Amino acid sequence: GFLFLLLGNTHWGVIRRELHIDFGSYRRKMSSDPRETPAMDSQPTGEIADKEMDRKSDKRTSNRTRRRQRRKDEWCKVASSPRCAFNEKFECDHNSWHKGDKASPSVSSSETEPISASDQSHNSHCQSTQTLESNKKKKSSRKRTGRGKKPIMIEFHDISVEEKRNYIAMDCEMVGVGRYGQKSALARVSLTDWDGDVVLDAYVKVGRPVTDYRTHVSGVRPEDVESIHAMNYFECRKLVHSIIANKIVIGHALKNDFSALRLSHPWFLTRDTARYEPFMKCDPAAPTQLLPRRLKELTKNKLGRNIQEEGRQHDSVEDARAAMDLYKKARIKWDKAVDWKVNKSTTITEQAIKEALMK
């Protein structure tokens, strides 16, 4: 009643509407319920987010357009120089000359004006850009056609003739003897020198009955080991021993070859490509252990050539040459590792001898 007395003739509906709006705005600020807000301010969250993203993208686009226009204006200032005009004219003349107009590109004396530093930098930039584009085209064409792969380069360090005499590559072929041909017997031995020339290549008579010639792998046939040209086993063993004495012997899985020949050789004069750690692979079952790779795989990966292809019989001369080339590729590091082992073992032996004498 007191409020009516103060307001007098003021319309109560207008006052109530004004008060409602004020209190409603206050409730919108203090309440988290979206139903409390007026209908004119309620919009889905997804639409608001889309509008905000559109606004930001429009702003980025306008900024990018302004930057492009600024760069274009700068290049137009540089392109308006006389040297750039001369370049464009020369390129047009040059292209027309290549298309059939054999007249040489004409350059007047008035066009050859002094070149400023800014023009020189612009021309060098244009040339570098054209070079990069041409290189990219060449690379893309190589990828499409599959050509352009660089062959594997084998770098061999030259050594003297005297040093070459200290190296011999060896490979042997076996046949199966005994029950089911499970045991191996020597049937062929091949020796090559540093340059791949054959030093010895002979078939060997087998003193026991052969149950499996393994022809599909070894290439040995009955007429090879039974011919009059086949060597006696003991003569062959003696000859091989005399050839490899005091020399470095290179081969793949030499343990099997020495076992077939019943020969021993100092470990520091042996280079076995199957036991050289950089040539080995990790065991999938035990990652800390190493397994030997096949000679065929090593030759393909390291030398880029194929040996022991499917459907072909093994050739001991070819295998010996492949082992020698593998050794040549890693000779320096390999010999350093062997020298370190020799020095280490010598130091340990001398120390053990001194301790024994002091006692």
Side-chain angles (χ1 to χ4, degrees), residues 3 10 35 57 112 147 162 173 181 199 242 253 283 295 307-308 311 333 354:
L3 183 61
T10 307
R35 291 176 295 181
S57 63
T112 57
R147 295 176 296 177
E162 289 76 12
E173 298 293 345
V199 178
S242 62
D283 187 359
L295 181 61
I307 63 170
Q308 301 177 1
K333 293 183 179 180
K354 288 180 181 179

Side-chain angles (χ1 to χ4, degrees), residues 236-286:
C236 179
R237 177 175 175 269
K238 185 178 181 179
L239 179 60
V240 171
H241 178 69
S242 62
I243 293 174
I244 67 174
N246 301 323
K247 293 183 180 180
I248 297 176
V249 179
I250 299 100
H252 190 78
L254 285 172
K255 179 181 179 180
N256 300 330
D257 298 340
F258 285 130
S259 176
L261 286 165
R262 299 178 188 176
L263 291 175
S264 60
H265 202 66
W267 64 270
F268 54 88
L269 294 178
T270 303
R271 305 290 186 270
D272 193 344
T273 56
R275 306 301 303 173
Y276 183 49
E277 291 185 0
F279 288 168
M280 300 176 74
K281 61 182 178 181
C282 294
D283 187 359

Side-chain angles (χ1 to χ4, degrees), residues 290-308:
L290 296 176
L291 296 177
R293 294 180 184 269
R294 298 175 59 187
L295 181 61
K296 174 182 179 180
E297 182 181 354
L298 284 173
T299 307
K300 177 66 174 178
N301 295 339
K302 303 296 183 179
L303 305 178
R305 70 172 186 251
N306 297 320
I307 63 170
Q308 301 177 1

Side-chain angles (χ1 to χ4, degrees), residues 313-332:
Q313 300 165 357
H314 293 192
D315 186 358
S316 55
V317 174
E318 184 182 42
D319 296 348
R321 289 169 177 166
M324 178 64 80
D325 290 341
L326 287 170
Y327 169 70
K328 290 178 183 179
K329 190 174 182 64
R331 180 178 66 90
I332 296 177

Side-chain angles (χ1 to χ4, degrees), residues 102-160:
K102 298 304 181 179
S104 60
S106 60
V107 180
S108 62
S109 59
S110 61
E111 293 174 339
T112 57
E113 297 179 0
I115 305 172
S116 62
S118 61
D119 297 340
Q120 289 180 355
S121 62
H122 171 64
N123 294 335
S124 61
H125 174 75
C126 295
Q127 293 176 359
S128 61
T129 305
Q130 293 176 359
T131 306
L132 289 174
E133 291 178 356
S134 61
N135 292 337
K136 288 180 181 179
K137 290 180 180 178
K138 289 180 181 179
K139 289 182 180 179
S140 61
S141 63
R142 288 176 182 175
K143 291 180 181 179
R144 289 194 301 269
T145 57
R147 295 176 296 177
K149 294 182 179 180
K150 294 183 179 179
I152 298 176
M153 300 299 295
I154 307 172
E155 296 181 359
F156 297 153
H157 297 274
D158 294 333
I159 60 176
S160 61

Side-chain angles (χ1 to χ4, degrees), residues 49-238:
D50 293 341
K51 288 183 178 180
E52 186 66 19
M53 291 178 63
D54 294 341
R55 186 183 65 82
K56 292 181 178 180
S57 63
D58 293 341
K59 185 176 180 181
R60 286 195 297 268
T61 305
S62 61
N63 293 337
R64 193 181 302 114
T65 305
R66 285 196 295 270
R67 287 196 299 270
R68 289 178 179 173
Q69 186 63 31
R70 195 184 307 117
R71 286 197 297 267
K72 186 176 179 180
D73 295 340
E74 292 176 358
W75 278 107
C76 288
K77 291 180 182 178
V78 178
S80 60
S81 62
R83 182 60 183 173
C84 287
F86 166 75
N87 286 342
E88 293 177 359
K89 181 171 182 11
F90 181 79
E91 289 176 0
C92 294
D93 295 340
H94 187 69
N95 294 334
S96 63
W97 183 77
H98 273 288
K99 288 179 180 178
D101 186 6
K102 298 304 181 179
S104 60
S106 60
V107 180
S108 62
S109 59
S110 61
E111 293 174 339
T112 57
E113 297 179 0
I115 305 172
S116 62
S118 61
D119 297 340
Q120 289 180 355
S121 62
H122 171 64
N123 294 335
S124 61
H125 174 75
C126 295
Q127 293 176 359
S128 61
T129 305
Q130 293 176 359
T131 306
L132 289 174
E133 291 178 356
S134 61
N135 292 337
K136 288 180 181 179
K137 290 180 180 178
K138 289 180 181 179
K139 289 182 180 179
S140 61
S141 63
R142 288 176 182 175
K143 291 180 181 179
R144 289 194 301 269
T145 57
R147 295 176 296 177
K149 294 182 179 180
K150 294 183 179 179
I152 298 176
M153 300 299 295
I154 307 172
E155 296 181 359
F156 297 153
H157 297 274
D158 294 333
I159 60 176
S160 61
V161 178
E162 289 76 12
E163 289 179 324
K164 289 181 180 180
R165 295 173 183 171
N166 297 327
Y167 299 96
I168 286 290
M170 180 174 68
D171 189 76
C172 299
E173 298 293 345
M174 318 293 180
V175 293
V177 296
R179 189 177 183 181
Y180 305 117
Q182 295 180 351
K183 295 183 179 181
S184 297
L186 181 66
R188 182 183 178 184
V189 58
S190 300
L191 302 176
T192 60
D193 60 6
W194 176 270
D195 297 323
D197 297 331
V198 178
V199 178
L200 175 66
D201 184 21
Y203 289 98
V204 182
K205 294 180 180 179
V206 184
R208 300 174 60 183
V210 179
T211 54
D212 186 5
Y213 284 93
R214 307 173 184 173
T215 306
H216 63 287
V217 176
S218 64
V220 179
R221 296 172 175 78
E223 54 270 20
D224 295 330
V225 296
E226 295 173 1
S227 66
I228 59 175
H229 300 289
M231 294 184 65
N232 180 273
Y233 173 79
F234 296 100
E235 294 178 357
C236 179
R237 177 175 175 269
K238 185 178 181 179

